[in-house]
Structure formats: C-alpha cells, structure tokens
C-alpha cells in the first residue's frame, strides 16, 4: 500500500534549528511495521533521517517514538494499524525529553530517574552458599515488571512529568517496585521512605497513560499503586499523599461521598499556614465562581451499602 | 571539516568496547579488581543484543548432572573442534557464575521447592538450562547493568569506535566518535577489552539486531590480531518469516514440534533419538532439506506449540507468543507458525586464550566477538550467555591485573587525525553515489546464497568474487547526511566497511575448509575429515585480503567420535 509518513524533523546544526514536518510518500508491504517504513525512508529516500533502532523484536527498547500523538515502540506497530483513512501516519520524537536530532531523544533525564531509585539489589547478611530460595510465583510476578525494556514510552506520555520534571516517573518507579517486591532485597524500609518523598510515588496522578502506552505490559501505574500500599503499611504515612489517600478513603467509607472541604485540611494539616493561605485563595476563587462545596457535609442515602463494600474489600486483604 | 578531533586524551586503566553481557561483566570484574575501567558502547548498554537471548543459560547444577557431562555435550556439539581445556573451564565454572548472577538479582524461574528450575535444550544430555521465562538474556543484562550502577562503572554511551591504536606492538587504546557531537576522541588504556558481539548483519536475513556488525572483530583484524574459525556460522532452526526474528529454542525445549507441509514430524528421519532437540546445525540442515525437497510451506516449515496449552505458553514463552502475534499475526496457542533456519551466531571471532588474551598484546576479547574456542564448529543453545559471563569475567580480571603492570605512554591524537581524514573523505564524496544500504543488502544476499547452510566450492568461489566486487564498489559509497550530530548515515557506512572485511574472511575460510564439520556443511566434501581438518583456521589481515594459517585443537579427554543425535 502507499502511505505518507509525516515525520517531525529537527536538525540542531541548521542555521535556524526549529522542528518542522517532512512528508515522505512510499510504498510499503502489508506486514511493514512503522520501523520498517522509517528504515526504508532512511535507506532509500533520505539518509539524513536520524532514528535509533536495533532488535526489531520489541526487546532492545531503542525505537520509542510518538505515532499519531502517542508513544509507541515502532518495531511493534504495524503501518496498516495506525494509518488513517488517507493512509497517513504522523511520527514524532518522544515527549517529555529533549530532542537530539529528528526522532532521537536525549535519554539522559530518563536514565537519571532510573539511577535515582537505587536500582540494584541490596541484600543483607551473608550470602547463601547456593541460590536464595524463592517461590516461583514471586519470580514470575517480578518477571512481569522486569519485562520493562526501558524504552521511555511511559515517560514520554506521563502527564505528571509534563508539569513537573522532578517526578521520578513510571519507568523508574516500576523498577523500584521490582526491588521492594524481591524477597532477596533487605532495603524495603529505606526504599519506601525514599520513594515517599516529594517527586516519588505520591506524585502520580493516576491518569493511566503509562499503562496504555507500555509496549510490554509492565503497567507502571499499578506498580506505583502497589508501592503506595506498601509504603502506608510500612508506616510512611506522614506525607501529603498518604494523608490524602486516608482522608479520601475515610470520607467515602463513612458518608459515601467525598467531603471536599475536609480533604485538603486533612491532607495538608490545619496548622500548615502556608498551605492554608494557598487554599484560602483557591476557596475564594471557587466562591466567586459559585463552585464552593457544601459547608455541611451530608451522607448519601445508601451509605451503609458503601460501608459494606469497604468491609468486603478490606476483609479480603 | 565537520569531524573535529579532540586534543585531550581520555585515560583509563582498562577500556571495554561493547556494553553487552560480556563487556559489562568484564568491566564489573575489572572494577572489582581495582582498575579504573570505562565501557565504550555504540548503543546504551541495555540496548545491546544480549537482551535478545531468550531461552537460557547452561550449568550442571543437578545432583545427577556433572560439569564433565556438560563439557562432553559441548565438545560433541562443537563437532570436536572446541578446545577441550576451554570447554572444561566454561562448564566447570558455570555453576559458580549462575549462583553469582542469582545473588546479584537475576530472577531465575524456580522449582516447587524454591530452587532454580532448568529446562531441556538442544544437544544436551540433561535439562541444565536455567531461565527467566523467555527473556533470560534481557534480565541478566539488566541485572549486570544494575550492578555497574552500584559500582559506578563509567560508560561512554553512543560512542562509535573507529580504530584501535597500536604502538610498539601493543594495543594502547582506541579512537571513538561521540555520536552526540561527532567529535573524535582518543582513549589511552593499558588494556583494551573487545566485547562487541556478533556480525549477524553480514547475512540477510539474520536474527541479529541491526547493530550486530562485527565492529570489534574488524578493528582487531585490521590492527593485526588473529581471527579464528570464521567459516563457522550458526543458522538457528526457528526464525520468523520474513523478518528473521528469533523464536527461542525454549519453544522446542518445552516440547514444541516441527512439522513439514505434510504435517509430519520430520526430525524422526534425521535425529531419531533427540528429534527436535538435536543440536542446531542438525535441525537447521534437516529443515533446509525438507524445504529444498518441496515439503515446505512457502519456503518454511511449521513450529507447533498448540499441544503445550495456553498456561505454559503464556508463562514460559510469553515473549514469543507476543512476537508471533505482532510480526506474523499468529496465535501460538491455537495455530502453528511458519519458521525457517536463519543466520544467528558466529562461532569464530578474535582468537583468544582462556583468559581472554588476543594474539595482540594489550588487546583482550570476550563473548561472541571472541573465539576461545568453546563452541568449535557448532554452539549449543544456552552456552553463549554462559560464555559471556564466564569469559567476560576472566578477561576482565586478566586485563585488570596486567594493566596494573603497564604504564601510559602519552599517546597523541595522531590516529584520531588519520581517522578524521578517512571520514572526511567519505563525507566529501558526491551525494549521488551508491547507497550504503543497497550494498549491504547485496552483501547479505550474497552471503546467504554462497555461504549459507549448504556450501560448495563453486558457490564459495563466486562468494569470494562477489566480495571483491562489493569491496571495490564500497569506494563509491556516498553519504547523504553531512552533519556531525548523530550521523547514522555515516555510522552505517563505517559498519558496512567492517562487515565487508569480515565477510571476505568468512568466505575465504569456508572455501579453504574442504570438509563438513558442525555448521560448515560442504556438499562437495560431505564428510568430517579429522585427519586433514581437525584444526583451527586462523586469518590474518594483509593489504591483499586474509592470509590463512592453521592451528592445533586442544584435545584433553574426549577423542573425536561419530556424532549422532
């Protein structure tokens, strides 16, 4: 079939280095991946197009880019699955990372995040003479996380990193989960404490983008939620994120709906002067726009049923 | 002049070229021996092709198993060309290295009792392949990389090496291009360890990643180090059509069947005892005979996993289930998948001793780019990951120890300037010359045709001629990208230059070896000839092409026997 690739180009050495789109019309086979098509461009049409690729089998993690606005591993993405009705495909470098040239992103901020979680096993005590004994289910579960190929797709499309570059982000925190979940690692407490700091597990906004774009089914957001549970269980609840979670849960559990006034008070603490001043401004703006939540919080009629749901779920744990 | 030369010299006790398993393991060991070590790699380490090793890593861990049995299987698999002292070291040290990997954090699959699980693999008399589902290489490389972060090993990521530096008969460093800037830097080192992996892209198709272009082998060859046994190229029995992407041997290890167009399990005709789990050369040849005899399905035979059931496929073979779905549109749980033999691994490489020393002082090598030789004429599945950790470790230790005895000689950027001239000459050619990719495809097709699974004098002779022609035409290759930053057009031309030199050695060595042994199957010399050819082929660089010599095979315990499976 004939397709048009719309590729965002960027040449840092040009006189006016600004990105621009370039159209390539080419014929592709039915089985072609977007990577096959890009390679065809590079080899037959325009040798100056820069991209990274190697394995062609979704394991080396080199070829993450944005296809039609979302991060994809292009060796895993068939052209016919992403071409629109006019047989066009848009290809851009990943988001949330600086661009080196064309489709090549600067991965340094990505690797820096991974390094920041102390991504290596920290056992204590003497090593056993043979292997550590471990349940196979645990190893298989960790294999699901270690399937991460560090391609950067989740970081590219993370909506929290977009507004705050300090967030460790999905890939690094999924990597962190792999150690906390590993029975051989003895640094769980210090890890959970570290991951509970600002920029850590509580900065995820649960938008699900990382789960959607991950080409390996790692589901980073689910791992971050797992870390949150473990952090609270380990007693690291003296932070905004954990308090927010607890206040949210309490409110729903007792009244069946969210007490929007109480939530920020419990999250930040009434005596947190700076936060309270900031909140009062938000409250004022809400009042001016007629969006103030009810002062007196009322329970919903079926609150007992909600309570029973909680009992059921919590009993199961 | 776009390709600027950096005047400042970068100095490390040891420089490892290549960030795959052998390189990272070597670097880790050198660092733990107290050396100041750096890894120079043309891709970020976790992008290296070690991650594509799916099935597993061998070690005799079982109570009824023994390293001697593993070594015997390795020697038999090699068709008796492996050096038996090296094979013994590989197998004797394997259990220790596996346990070390486990202690570092590799999440090997377990048995019911929590101990390491092992699966059967081709050519092995015992289930001795440890594994992490079908992502074994991926997990091991990531864990070793984690350790390198812990030990603060320096890495130069996305730096492409263009030449070794030899002074007074000793390798003293290398010249590499920082792909981010295009600048050429001089590294001075008391020891240089090559760990650049395979050269699979010499063929088309190949299971190898696009980065597997044999750079280290070519650099060593041009610097005067010997290459060994370059005629031995492994064709893996199960690669996907048309991409050539790998389907793990674990698929057969877990019980998968091979069927021809008539639905017959044809391996019973070729290896009545071991069937699908005969060694790779045997299975690949059997498939090719079936295909050539017209019992094929569009040039392929079929891999059948349906009887294994969804649960096993989704837990132990999950990645290939995903690959077959993505690349062939086949659900392995309910359908068979067309596969064919494809170029997979180079048994030959830079000749080393059992401690990683090449024939050039100061230069060491480990992993697929080296030839110790533990694989001889045919490698067993699960032995390549093992080779990277055992001999990567040994090379790293030796290099660190010997570097401690050396001193820097204060290199100048002279070689870097020479290389800059070579690159500028390439860049200044007309835009309208031959495209690198067109020549590379011709190279791949020529190798597949003339130096494929079955070979003969006429074909190999034509192969030698084709290589001469390709090398001549390389002089007219042009580069469209004239920039300095991330110039992949330039890098692929330099890679092709490397591959052409190596392919010439491969076909020349193949033509010379007038017998059939392991993966080298000559139609005109169908028998193994121990009297004439139980010897290693050694290739040395001359301006007129390779000069071949021969060297003895070390035989300690296992005298050559008839090899059947």
């Amino acid at each position: 079939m004939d397709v048009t690739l719309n590729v965002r180009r960027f040449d840092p050495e040009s006189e006016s280095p600004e990105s621009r789109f370039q159209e390539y019309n080419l014929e592709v086979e039915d089985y072609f991946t977007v990577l096959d098509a890009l390679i065809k461009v590079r080899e037959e049409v325009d040798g100056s197009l820069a991209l990274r690729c190697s394995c062609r089998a979704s394991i080396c993690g080199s070829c993450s880019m944005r296809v039609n606005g979302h991060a994809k591993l292009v060796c895993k993405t068939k052209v016919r699955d992403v071409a629109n009705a006019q047989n066009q495909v848009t290809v851009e470098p990943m988001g949330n990372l600086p661009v080196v040239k064309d489709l090549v992103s600067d991965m340094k901020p990505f690797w820096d995040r991974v390094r920041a979680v102390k991504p290596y096993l920290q056992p204590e005590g003497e090593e056993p003479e043979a292997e550590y004994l471990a349940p196979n289910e645990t190893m298989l579960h960790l294999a699901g996380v270690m399937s991460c190929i560090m391609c950067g797709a989740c970081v590219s499309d993370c909506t929290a990193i977009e507004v705050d570059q300090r967030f460790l982000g999905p890939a690094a925190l999924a990597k962190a989960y792999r150690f906390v979940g590993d029975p051989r690692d003895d640094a769980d407490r210090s890890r959970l404490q570290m991951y509970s700091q600002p920029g850590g597990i509580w900065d995820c906004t649960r938008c699900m983008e990382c789960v959607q774009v991950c080409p390996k089914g790692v589901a980073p957001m689910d791992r971050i939620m797992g870390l949150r549970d473990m952090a609270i269980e380990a007693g690291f609840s003296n932070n905004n994120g954990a308090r927010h979670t607890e206040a949210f849960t309490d409110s729903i559990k007792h009244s069946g709906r969210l007490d929007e006034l109480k939530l920020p008070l419990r999250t930040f603490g009434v005596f947190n002067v700076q936060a309270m001043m900031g909140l009062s401004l938000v409250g004022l703006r809400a009042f001016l726009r007629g969006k103030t939540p009810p002062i007196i919080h009322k329970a919903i009629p079926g609150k007992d049923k909600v309570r029973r749901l909680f009992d059921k779920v919590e009993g199961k744990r | 002049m776009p390709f600027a030369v950096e005047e400042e010299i970068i100095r490390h006790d040891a420089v490892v070229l290549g960030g795959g398993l052998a390189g990272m393991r070597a670097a880790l060991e050198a660092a733990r021996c107290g050396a100041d070590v750096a890894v120079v790699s043309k891709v970020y380490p976790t992008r290296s092709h070690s991650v594509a090793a799916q099935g597993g890593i061998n070690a005799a861990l079982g109570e009824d198993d023994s390293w001697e049995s593993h070594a015997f299987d390795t020697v038999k698999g090699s068709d008796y060309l492996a050096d038996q002292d090296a094979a013994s070291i590989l197998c004797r040290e394997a259990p220790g290295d596996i346990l070390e990997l486990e202690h570092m954090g590799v999440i090997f699959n377990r048995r019911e009792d929590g101990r390491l699980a092992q699966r059967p693999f081709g050519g092995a008399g015992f289930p001795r392949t440890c594994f992490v589902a079908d992502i074994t290489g991926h997990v091991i490389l990531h864990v070793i990389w984690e350790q390198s972060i812990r030990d603060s090993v320096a890495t130069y990521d996305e730096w492409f090496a263009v030449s070794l530096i030899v002074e007074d008969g000793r390798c003293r460093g290398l010249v590499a291009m920082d792909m981010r800037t295009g600048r050429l830097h001089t590294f001075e080192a008391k020891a240089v360890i090559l760990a650049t992996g395979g050269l699979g892209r010499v063929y088309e198709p190949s299971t190898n990643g696009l980065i597997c272009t044999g750079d280290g082998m070519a650099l060593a060859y041009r610097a005067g180090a010997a290459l060994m046994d370059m005629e031995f190229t492994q064709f893996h029995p199960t690669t996907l059509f048309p991409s050539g992407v790998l389907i793990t041997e674990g698929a057969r290890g877990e019980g998968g069947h091979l069927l021809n167009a008539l639905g017959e399990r044809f391996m019973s005709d070729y290896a009545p005892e071991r069937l699908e789990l005969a060694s790779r050369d045997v299975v690949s040849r059997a498939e090719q005979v079936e295909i050539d005899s017209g019992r094929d399905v569009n040039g392929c035979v079929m891999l059948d996993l349906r009887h294994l059931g969804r649960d096993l496929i989704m837990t132990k073979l999950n990645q290939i289930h995903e690959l077959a779905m993505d690349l062939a549109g086949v659900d392995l749980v309910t359908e068979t998948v067309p596969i064919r033999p494809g170029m997979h691994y180079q048994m030959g490489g830079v000749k080393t001793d059992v401690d990683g020393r090449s024939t050039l002082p100061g230069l060491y090598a480990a992993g697929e780019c080296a030839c110790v030789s533990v694989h001889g004429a045919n490698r067993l599945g699960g032995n390549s990951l093992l080779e990277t950790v055992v001999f990567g470790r040994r090379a790293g230790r030796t290099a660190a120890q010997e570097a401690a005895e050396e001193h820097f000689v204060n290199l100048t950027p002279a070689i870097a300037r020479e290389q800059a001239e070579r690159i500028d000459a390439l860049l200044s050619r007309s835009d309208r010359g031959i495209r690198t990719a067109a020549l590379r495809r011709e190279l791949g097709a020529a190798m597949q045709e003339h130096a494929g699974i079955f070979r003969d004098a006429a074909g190999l002779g034509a192969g030698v001629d084709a290589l001469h022609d390709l090398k001549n035409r390389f002089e007219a290759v042009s580069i469209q990208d004239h920039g300095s930053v991330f110039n992949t057009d330039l890098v692929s031309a330099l890679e092709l230059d490397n591959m052409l030199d190596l392919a010439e050695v491969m076909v020349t060595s193949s033509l010379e070896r007038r017998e059939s042994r392991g993966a080298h199957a000559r139609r005109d010399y169908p028998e193994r000839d121990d009297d004439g050819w139980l010897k290693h082929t050694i290739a040395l660089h001359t301006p007129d092409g390779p000069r071949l010599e021969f060297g003895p095979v070390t035989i300690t315990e296992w005298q050559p026997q008839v090899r059947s499976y």
Side-chain angles (χ1 to χ4, degrees):
Chain A
M1 71 191 227
D2 292 313
V3 292
T4 303
L5 292 185
N6 247 320
V7 181
R8 190 188 281 279
R9 305 287 311 267
F10 171 71
D11 177 4
E13 295 172 277
S14 78
E15 283 170 15
S16 53
E18 274 173 32
S19 74
R20 63 190 163 86
F21 276 102
Q22 186 162 355
E23 268 189 17
Y24 297 105
N25 299 302
L26 67 160
E27 200 189 330
V28 300
E29 303 290 336
D30 191 47
Y31 59 80
F32 261 41
T33 60
V34 174
L35 177 62
D36 292 329
L38 289 169
I39 289 177
K40 186 168 176 170
V41 169
R42 181 167 84 175
E43 294 191 340
E44 295 172 19
V45 185
D46 184 348
S48 72
L49 178 67
L51 65 138
R52 292 190 184 99
C53 55
S54 176
C55 74
R56 309 157 298 138
S58 29
I59 191 70
C60 77
S62 302
C63 67
S64 258
M65 316 170 186
R66 273 188 173 161
V67 177
N68 300 336
H70 291 279
K72 297 236 184 233
L73 207 56
V74 292
C75 69
K76 195 182 159 68
T77 307
K78 286 256 165 64
V79 173
R80 62 174 146 80
D81 293 340
V82 290
N84 66 12
Q86 287 77 45
N87 279 351
Q88 294 164 329
V89 181
T90 303
V91 187
E92 299 169 86
M94 281 189 281
N96 285 334
L97 293 164
V99 178
V100 175
K101 180 182 177 184
D102 296 339
L103 301 169
V104 176
S105 300
D106 180 359
M107 293 293 282
K108 185 171 182 299
F110 177 91
W111 299 118
D112 286 348
R113 288 187 174 93
V114 175
R115 284 168 178 272
V117 302
K118 293 204 174 170
Y120 41 84
L121 201 71
Q122 299 180 56
E124 267 174 27
E126 273 205 19
E127 279 187 353
E129 227 165 80
E131 67 269 42
Y132 288 94
L133 297 182
N136 196 41
E137 298 70 48
T138 309
M139 293 291 124
L140 287 175
H141 175 65
L142 291 178
V145 190
M146 278 210 84
S147 303
C148 173
I149 54 176
M150 307 269 156
C151 67
C154 58
V155 165
S156 160
D157 286 19
C158 174
T159 54
I161 290 182
E162 197 177 323
V163 294
D164 185 359
Q165 285 282 336
R166 288 168 302 180
F167 179 38
L168 283 170
L173 289 171
K175 184 90 184 161
Y177 175 93
R178 165 252 185 287
F179 296 103
V180 180
D182 193 318
R184 298 166 296 182
D185 190 273
D186 291 314
D188 290 8
R189 283 196 61 81
S190 65
R191 287 183 187 279
L192 289 169
Q193 185 173 24
M194 176 168 84
Y195 307 150
S196 297
Q197 301 297 312
I201 49 179
W202 296 104
D203 284 18
C204 167
T205 59
R206 302 175 54 130
C207 72
M208 298 282 287
E209 280 291 331
C210 60
V211 179
Q212 287 215 347
V213 300
C214 175
K216 301 302 283 187
V218 172
M221 190 196 86
D222 294 352
R223 314 303 175 183
I224 297 174
M225 294 312 122
L227 285 172
R228 284 184 180 180
D229 286 345
M230 290 189 273
I232 290 179
E233 233 162 80
F236 298 109
S237 49
N238 187 22
N239 57 60
N240 294 345
R243 280 193 297 268
H244 180 87
T245 303
E246 281 169 357
F248 204 110
T249 315
D250 281 353
S251 174
I252 304 291
K253 195 169 170 180
H254 291 113
S255 61
R257 68 154 62 129
L258 186 62
D259 185 343
E260 290 183 67
L261 275 185
K262 223 178 188 176
L263 184 70
L265 300 183
R266 279 193 60 188
T267 300
F268 297 107
V270 186
F271 301 108
N272 182 341
V273 179
Q274 201 183 352
M276 288 305 112
M277 283 172 66
L279 276 174
S280 54
L281 286 177
V282 175
L284 185 64
R285 281 204 298 273
F287 174 75
L288 292 174
R289 286 174 176 77
K291 290 180 177 176
T292 311
I295 305 288
I296 299 162
H297 181 68
K298 280 188 198 156
I300 60 166
K303 68 169 186 172
D304 293 342
K305 286 182 189 163
V306 175
R307 184 65 184 255
R308 281 203 292 279
L309 281 175
F310 267 89
D311 291 344
K312 216 170 177 178
V313 173
E314 287 172 350
K316 231 168 107 184
R317 275 193 187 164
Chain B
M1 283 298 196
F3 279 80
V5 173
E6 185 64 48
E7 294 294 319
E8 201 173 320
I9 311 291
I10 303 171
R11 289 194 174 82
H12 293 283
D13 294 338
V15 169
V16 180
L17 188 59
L21 256 180
M24 294 303 276
R25 186 64 192 87
L28 205 56
E29 190 69 13
R32 289 175 181 179
C33 291
D36 161 33
V37 60
V39 175
V40 176
S41 172
K42 69 176 175 179
V43 293
Y44 195 83
T46 60
R47 312 294 184 214
S48 305
H49 200 62
S50 304
V51 293
Q54 298 169 347
I57 178 165
N58 296 336
L61 296 171
E63 279 166 21
D64 307 330
D65 201 1
S66 67
W67 73 261
E68 290 92 343
S69 163
H70 181 190
F72 169 72
D73 288 341
T74 301
V75 169
K76 179 184 170 187
S78 82
D79 221 348
Y80 295 91
L81 191 68
D83 287 313
Q84 296 183 7
D85 55 340
S88 294
I89 287 172
L90 178 80
C91 301
R92 199 168 56 224
E93 297 186 357
D97 280 273
I98 296 285
L99 291 178
E100 185 180 41
L101 290 174
E102 199 279 329
H103 292 164
M104 286 177 181
V106 175
I107 47 169
F108 287 116
N109 283 35
R110 308 290 162 142
R111 308 188 307 210
E112 283 280 306
D113 61 1
R115 307 204 59 182
L116 300 183
Q118 294 186 292
R119 64 168 42 137
F121 243 44
F126 205 86
R128 66 167 74 93
T129 306
C130 298
F131 59 99
V132 181
D134 56 357
I135 53 170
T136 313
H138 164 83
V139 171
I140 296 178
L141 181 62
H142 279 236
V143 166
I144 296 217
W145 167 72
E146 291 165 11
Q147 295 289 302
S148 78
I149 292 174
R150 194 193 75 160
D151 290 7
S152 306
V153 173
T155 61
Y156 295 82
D157 308 320
E158 302 189 318
W159 287 51
F160 183 78
V162 293
S163 177
L164 297 176
I165 300 172
V166 180
E167 265 187 21
D168 305 325
R170 185 177 173 88
C171 182
R172 309 264 182 200
L174 54 87
V175 178
M177 178 175 75
D178 177 358
M179 290 170 64
R180 280 290 291 272
T181 62
R183 294 179 79 82
L184 289 176
H185 294 254
T186 303
F187 285 81
E188 176 163 13
K190 299 170 193 167
V192 174
I193 305 175
L194 297 177
T196 52
L199 48 65
R201 299 322 303 180
V202 162
Y203 284 79
E204 187 61 48
S206 164
T207 62
N208 287 195
L210 304 176
I211 57 173
C212 299
T213 53
D215 306 326
M217 291 183 203
L219 259 49
Y221 174 59
R222 284 185 211 130
L227 300 181
M228 187 163 93
D229 294 341
M230 292 293 281
E231 62 272 39
F232 296 103
T233 298
Q234 180 164 79
F235 293 84
H236 196 286
T238 53
T239 74
L240 280 177
F241 176 85
S243 62
V245 164
L246 175 71
I247 297 286
T248 175
E249 183 156 312
R252 284 170 290 133
E254 296 293 345
H257 295 163
L258 293 172
L259 307 176
N260 62 19
L262 310 172
E264 299 162 339
R265 270 184 86 184
F266 57 86
M267 281 312 298
S268 58
D269 295 340
Y270 302 87
E273 280 183 34
R274 301 291 295 156
L275 298 164
E276 282 87 355
L277 287 178
S279 75
R280 287 178 178 172
D281 57 329
V282 174
V283 180
S284 285
R285 273 196 295 275
E287 290 177 357
Q288 196 61 48
V289 170
E290 292 295 308
I291 291 166
D292 293 345
S293 309
R295 293 185 290 275
D296 63 309
V297 181
N298 301 322
C300 295
V301 292
M302 308 304 285
L303 174 68
D304 185 1
L305 305 185
R306 292 171 300 180
H307 54 286
L308 301 182
R310 174 175 294 275
D311 283 354
L312 186 146
I313 292 173
M314 298 310 281
T315 52
K316 288 183 169 174
L317 301 168
N318 187 34
Q319 183 188 198
I320 61 159
H321 180 266
E322 174 192 324
L323 281 174
M325 192 63 102
D326 289 344
L327 300 178
V330 166
D331 181 354
L332 289 175
V333 175
T334 56
E335 299 168 88
T336 59
V337 63
I339 52 90
R340 59 180 174 171
M343 192 289 172
H344 181 57
Y345 186 87
Q346 181 64 4
M347 269 75 74
V350 177
K351 176 179 166 35
T352 70
D353 66 13
V354 295
D355 294 311
R357 296 182 195 91
S358 77
T359 57
L360 176 65
L363 184 67
Y364 307 76
E368 189 173 347
C369 81
C371 183
V372 186
S373 144
V374 290
H375 308 308
N378 173 66
R379 174 176 72 76
L380 293 188
N383 267 358
S384 63
L385 286 181
L386 179 61
E387 181 193 16
T388 62
V389 292
V390 170
F391 289 100
R393 171 174 55 73
R394 292 176 69 98
R397 174 167 292 261
T398 310
Q401 286 167 349
E402 295 182 359
E405 308 292 316
E406 290 293 320
H407 50 86
F408 291 122
V409 293
N410 293 319
L411 290 182
T412 65
I415 304 291
R417 284 198 199 98
E418 276 175 28
Q419 289 297 319
E421 279 170 27
R422 170 186 170 217
I423 290 170
D424 284 335
L426 262 173
L427 287 172
S428 60
R429 289 179 192 166
S430 140
D431 277 8
R432 286 183 292 276
I434 307 169
R435 300 283 295 134
T436 302
L439 269 198
R440 198 201 62 236
R441 276 194 288 269
E442 276 190 53
L443 167 67
M447 291 299 285
Q448 186 69 20
E449 186 184 348
H450 302 305
I453 293 182
F454 290 106
R455 303 154 173 200
D456 58 35
L460 289 165
V464 173
D465 294 342
L467 256 302
H468 289 162
D469 174 53
L470 286 166
K471 288 185 81 161
N472 284 333
R473 283 157 63 209
F474 180 77
E475 299 308 317
V477 155
S478 72
I479 290 163
Q480 292 181 341
D481 190 342
H482 295 278
S484 304
V485 177
F486 228 89
N487 188 337
T488 48
D489 205 14
L490 168 66
V491 168
S492 52
L494 296 170
E495 289 172 335
L496 178 62
D497 198 7
N498 290 340
M499 291 198 287
L500 288 170
D501 274 355
L502 297 175
E504 186 184 28
V505 176
M506 293 162 80
V507 290
T508 309
S509 304
S510 300
L511 182 59
E512 186 66 22
R513 184 174 285 273
R514 292 181 296 279
E515 65 156 353
S516 289
R517 183 183 297 273
H520 177 67
R522 289 279 299 249
R523 285 193 196 277
D524 44 355
Y525 299 95
E527 300 299 324
R528 192 176 83 195
D529 173 9
D530 288 336
D531 292 335
W533 289 99
L534 185 54
K535 57 188 181 187
H536 295 298
T537 312
I538 291 162
L540 294 160
H541 180 262
T542 78
D544 309 318
R547 187 180 85 235
L548 298 187
E549 295 175 358
F550 298 95
V553 175
T554 307
I555 292 176
T556 55
E557 289 185 45
W558 301 284
Q559 291 303 316
Q561 300 167 14
V562 175
R563 179 168 169 258
S564 64
Y565 285 98

